[in-house]
């Protein structure tokens, strides 16, 4: 344990590195030290693993956010922390120490460089919050809006959730475990599916009891989760993580896989695994993520620097062709901010009744406010994205969406074009396909596997439309990109994103007295503009 055990918490230079304090590494360090202590009957080492300044108590009280998400703001690293602790928490339990139900006061006293405190509650915390929170992040197919260096899921049972069910007997865990329980021995041996292959490699399924009376329906419940999370009318809010998930379907939304959902991410950067993507959205509809987040390029590769860290690889706003802080003009693999100069947005409104949310951020670009308001209206999403320079200086504003479909039609004047839409900050990796300037309202259509997504832009004025192919989380897999570009001191990009329903397709979108009016085959809907 000498390589990672810190004893002098005043002078040890290793504490300059957050990995020895709060990062996911420390969870594994804690677990390793505790297990060695148990194996060698070293009481002091076990005590260190729990009660040292950066031990298990600190991890629970400081590093798990009030809404149950690990501070690094990445579903992948959230689960990585849980899996790293699993052997340790089990061994401690069998030695008479229950870390699963250990209640720790919320530690809001100290910022830890890029791990700055964003909680609002003084309620105690426990490890159970980490097992609970991921359920409320999901879309109807149990995929998730990828945050930072994470993938989109979907959420599936594994050894961690199986053990979690045995320790907490939570109905949600029971449902997930039963849903993903390995099949019979012949089925497992065939290894025909990802689930069977995974199950075959996890011995925990042979040791821990699966639920005997698991619910057949997703038992998500209205009200509070963790300490401050909210789930109301099909919508989730993670106040500390800075994420809202708005869903068309309420209650058990997994029974409506074709329904629409959208996430709005406005929270803290999240350390080195965070991305420069404040005000990012992800859109789910028609059983898939039409407008996804990619997570990360492979580590230790140039595209991780050139693409993943750059703002244009996300569904948000780019100003003057330069990435948001802390990446800016740099090609950097692990961009991170700091408590003294943090990038974090502010929630303005979360209204589950109207399925809407809005937030703003003044820290992504110096002197510029980014503000985004989204609403699920029927099966469509109304998106109002504002950018304003406080001093009235003009800028190039790029509204960027990555669309998992092929361009299938748009306004006259958007014609075939080659080249690059920019030379730095990820733009150099985009291959232009079409480009043109449009005056007045227009719409664009994209198709994938017989399904259509239409993007309506109802406002008057001049907009440059750029359609191209950009990387995803692999350089050899491209995806369609849409860039709407304007040059002004401030602008509002107002779009209505419609997953086209053949029986109730939108016929027109117009502005009227501060509202968006959506005319469809079955009638007219109105939405106030954020």
């Amino acid at each position: 344990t000498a390589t990672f055990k810190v004893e002098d918490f005043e002078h040890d230079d290793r504490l300059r590195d957050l990995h020895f304090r709060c990062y996911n590494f420390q969870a594994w360090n804690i677990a390793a030290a505790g297990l060695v202590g148990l194996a060698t009957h070293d009481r002091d080492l076990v005590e260190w693993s729990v009660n040292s300044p950066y031990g298990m108590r600190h991890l629970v009280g400081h590093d798990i956010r009030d809404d149950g998400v690990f501070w690094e703001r990445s579903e992948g690293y959230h689960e990585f922390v849980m899996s790293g602790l699993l052997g340790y928490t089990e061994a401690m339990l069998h030695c008479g120490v229950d870390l699963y139900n250990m209640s720790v006061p919320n530690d809001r006293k100290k910022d830890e460089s890029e791990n700055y405190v964003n909680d609002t509650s003084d309620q105690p915390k426990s490890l159970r919050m980490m097992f609970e929170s991921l359920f409320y992040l999901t879309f109807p197919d149990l995929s998730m809006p990828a945050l930072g260096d994470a993938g989109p899921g979907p959420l599936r049972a594994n050894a961690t959730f199986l053990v979690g069910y045995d320790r907490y007997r939570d109905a949600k865990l029971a449902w997930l475990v039963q849903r993903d329980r390995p099949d019979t021995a012949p089925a497992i041996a065939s290894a025909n599916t990802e689930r069977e292959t995974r199950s075959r490699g996890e011995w925990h399924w042979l040791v821990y009891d699966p639920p005997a009376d698991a619910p057949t329906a997703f038992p998500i419940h209205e009200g509070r989760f963790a300490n401050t999370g909210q789930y109301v009318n099909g919508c989730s809010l993670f106040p500390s993580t800075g994420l809202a998930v708005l869903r068309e379907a309420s209650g058990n939304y997994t029974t409506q896989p074709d329904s629409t959902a959208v996430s709005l991410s406005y929270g803290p950067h999240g350390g080195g695994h965070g991305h420069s993507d404040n005000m990012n959205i992800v859109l789910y509809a028609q059983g898939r993520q039409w407008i996804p987040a990619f997570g990360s390029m492979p580590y230790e590769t140039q595209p991780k620097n050139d693409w993943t860290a750059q703002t244009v690889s996300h569904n948000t706003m780019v100003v003057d062709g330069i990435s948001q802080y802390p990446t800016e003009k740099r090609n950097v693999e692990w961009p991170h901010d700091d408590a003294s100069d943090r990038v974090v947005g502010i929630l303005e409104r979360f209204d589950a009744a109207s399925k809407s949310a809005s937030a703003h951020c003044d820290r992504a670009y110096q002197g510029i406010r980014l503000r985004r308001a989204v609403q699920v209206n029927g099966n469509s999403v109304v998106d109002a994205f504002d950018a304003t320079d406080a001093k009235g200086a003009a800028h190039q504003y790029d509204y960027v969406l990555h669309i998992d479909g092929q361009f299938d039609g748009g306004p006259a004047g958007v014609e075939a074009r080659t080249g690059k839409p920019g030379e730095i900050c990820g733009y150099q990796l985009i291959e232009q396909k079409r480009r043109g300037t449009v005056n007045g309202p227009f719409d664009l259509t994209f198709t994938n596997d017989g399904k259509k997504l239409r993007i309506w832009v109802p406002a008057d004025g001049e907009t440059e439309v750029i359609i191209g192919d950009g990387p995803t989380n692999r350089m050899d897999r491209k995806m369609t990109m849409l860039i709407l570009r304007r040059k002004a001191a401030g602008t509002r990009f107002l779009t209505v994103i419609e997953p086209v329903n053949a029986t109730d397709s939108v016929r027109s979108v117009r502005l009227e007295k501060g509202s968006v009016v959506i005319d469809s085959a079955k009638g007219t809907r109105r939405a106030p503009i954020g």
Side-chain angles (χ1 to χ4, degrees):
T1 62
T3 58
F4 57 78
K5 183 187 176 191
V6 173
E7 296 184 89
D8 184 350
F9 291 94
E10 296 295 327
H11 304 100
D12 195 315
D13 282 344
R14 288 176 294 179
L15 290 177
R16 296 175 182 272
D17 184 347
L18 200 63
H19 288 90
F20 288 90
R21 290 179 280 152
C22 303
Y23 262 119
N24 58 80
F25 275 33
Q26 182 64 358
W28 289 77
N29 293 346
I30 290 167
L35 286 168
V36 169
L38 291 174
T40 60
H41 301 279
D42 186 334
R43 184 183 182 92
D44 290 340
L45 192 54
V46 175
E47 174 74 14
W48 180 92
S49 73
V50 178
N51 292 315
S52 65
Y54 295 104
M56 185 68 181
R57 290 179 62 86
H58 176 270
L59 184 149
V60 173
H62 188 273
D63 300 341
I64 300 174
R65 290 290 181 249
D66 240 350
D67 50 27
V69 178
F70 193 71
W71 79 270
E72 285 180 90
R73 214 172 173 272
S74 159
E75 298 97 336
Y77 283 97
H78 179 106
E79 290 202 54
F80 186 61
V81 167
M82 294 167 69
S83 64
L85 293 171
L86 194 63
Y88 166 62
T89 51
E90 282 295 282
M92 291 289 280
L93 182 66
H94 286 284
C95 291
V97 180
D98 184 0
L99 297 178
Y100 290 102
N101 292 296
M102 177 180 66
S103 181
V104 180
N106 190 341
D107 182 0
R108 295 204 285 138
K109 299 186 297 293
K110 185 179 181 183
D111 289 329
E112 298 280 354
S113 51
E114 60 259 40
N115 179 10
Y116 41 86
V117 177
N118 212 42
D119 287 343
T120 57
S121 163
D122 288 318
Q123 297 179 60
K125 299 177 180 178
S126 74
L127 191 61
R128 181 171 187 159
M129 295 165 61
M130 292 190 74
F131 285 88
E132 182 180 25
S133 57
L134 290 181
F135 287 93
Y136 295 91
L137 273 167
T138 56
F139 294 135
D141 66 346
L142 295 189
S143 69
M144 295 175 281
L147 300 172
D149 288 338
L155 185 65
R156 291 290 184 262
N158 52 31
T160 304
F161 290 107
L162 174 63
V163 175
Y165 162 73
D166 260 39
R167 299 304 166 223
Y168 294 120
R169 301 289 163 162
D170 184 286
K172 295 184 295 299
L173 292 169
W175 173 81
L176 186 67
V177 167
Q178 184 63 31
R179 183 178 181 276
D180 289 342
R181 182 177 175 177
D183 298 325
T184 62
I188 294 174
S190 70
N192 286 329
T193 68
E194 176 190 353
R195 182 182 303 173
E196 290 162 5
T197 302
R198 185 188 66 245
S199 301
R200 187 175 57 173
E202 291 185 340
W203 56 264
H204 305 78
W205 295 95
L206 301 175
V207 176
Y208 292 89
D209 293 330
D213 55 353
T216 56
F218 186 26
I220 198 161
H221 64 274
E222 294 268 320
R224 189 80 65 183
F225 62 87
N227 286 343
T228 59
Q230 299 178 42
Y231 176 71
V232 183
N233 194 29
C235 301
S236 301
L237 177 66
F238 294 79
S240 297
T241 302
L243 181 76
V245 184
L246 310 172
R247 304 178 186 88
E248 178 188 4
S250 301
N252 180 8
Y253 48 82
T254 63
T255 62
Q256 300 182 55
D258 287 335
S259 61
T260 298
V262 66
S263 64
L264 172 62
S265 175
Y266 61 89
H269 182 79
H273 290 295
H275 293 176
S276 298
D277 64 346
N278 209 274
M279 299 292 139
N280 189 58
I281 65 168
V282 173
L283 176 80
Y284 171 97
Q286 299 175 327
R288 56 200 299 277
Q289 291 192 15
W290 261 109
I291 300 176
F294 299 132
S296 176
M297 284 284 188
Y299 292 175
E300 310 299 333
T301 65
Q302 194 60 39
K304 177 77 167 67
N305 303 34
D306 294 344
W307 182 247
T308 300
Q310 307 299 333
T311 303
V312 77
S313 71
H314 303 87
N315 307 304
T316 185
M317 187 87 73
V318 185
V319 180
D320 294 330
I322 297 169
S323 290
Q324 296 178 9
Y325 179 78
T327 297
E328 298 177 304
K329 289 185 178 181
R330 299 182 300 156
N331 286 3
V332 55
E333 186 170 10
W334 312 111
H336 60 83
D337 62 349
D338 189 87
S340 63
D341 194 13
R342 60 186 68 184
V343 179
V344 59
I346 296 174
L347 180 70
E348 296 178 351
R349 185 185 76 258
F350 172 75
D351 185 348
S354 65
K355 299 184 183 291
S356 63
S358 62
H360 71 264
C361 182
D362 297 328
R363 302 298 303 155
Y365 292 101
Q366 187 69 34
I368 295 174
R369 168 165 290 191
L370 302 181
R371 180 186 184 275
R372 196 165 202 171
V374 292
Q375 180 188 32
V376 176
N377 187 286
N379 75 325
S380 298
V381 171
V382 179
D383 180 20
F385 203 159
D386 297 289
T388 310
D389 184 288
K391 296 182 178 179
H395 298 276
Q396 173 184 287
Y397 295 111
D398 285 355
Y399 170 97
V400 181
L401 296 177
H402 297 260
I403 302 169
D404 191 10
Q406 299 302 311
F407 176 68
D408 193 47
V414 180
E415 300 173 342
R417 190 82 65 87
T418 59
K420 310 286 186 181
E423 299 301 325
I424 61 172
C425 295
Y427 282 83
Q428 73 278 12
L429 300 178
I430 302 167
E431 295 293 337
Q432 251 178 197
K433 298 298 182 182
R434 305 182 73 87
R435 188 168 182 167
T437 300
V438 182
N439 282 288
F442 62 94
D443 62 90
L444 306 116
T445 302
F446 302 84
T447 61
N448 189 317
D449 195 24
K451 299 176 181 179
K452 291 185 178 183
L453 186 78
R454 186 171 292 124
I455 298 177
W456 300 83
V457 183
D460 287 323
E462 185 174 279
T463 305
E464 187 173 14
V465 179
I466 302 169
I467 297 169
D469 285 344
T472 55
N473 59 352
R474 292 176 7 199
M475 288 301 295
D476 62 348
R477 179 174 178 257
K478 305 294 184 179
M479 186 175 289
T480 302
M481 291 183 63
L482 170 65
I483 301 174
L484 303 182
R485 177 173 289 177
R486 295 183 188 143
K487 295 181 179 180
T491 191
R492 164 174 286 171
F493 291 96
L494 179 64
T495 62
V496 174
I497 305 172
E498 177 206 3
V500 178
N501 179 343
T503 63
D504 190 25
S505 61
V506 173
R507 294 171 174 172
S508 68
V509 176
R510 65 184 188 278
L511 303 181
E512 189 176 284
K513 296 180 179 179
S515 295
V516 178
V517 181
I518 303 170
D519 291 316
S520 71
K522 293 185 178 179
T524 298
R525 306 192 303 270
R526 291 177 178 269
I529 300 175

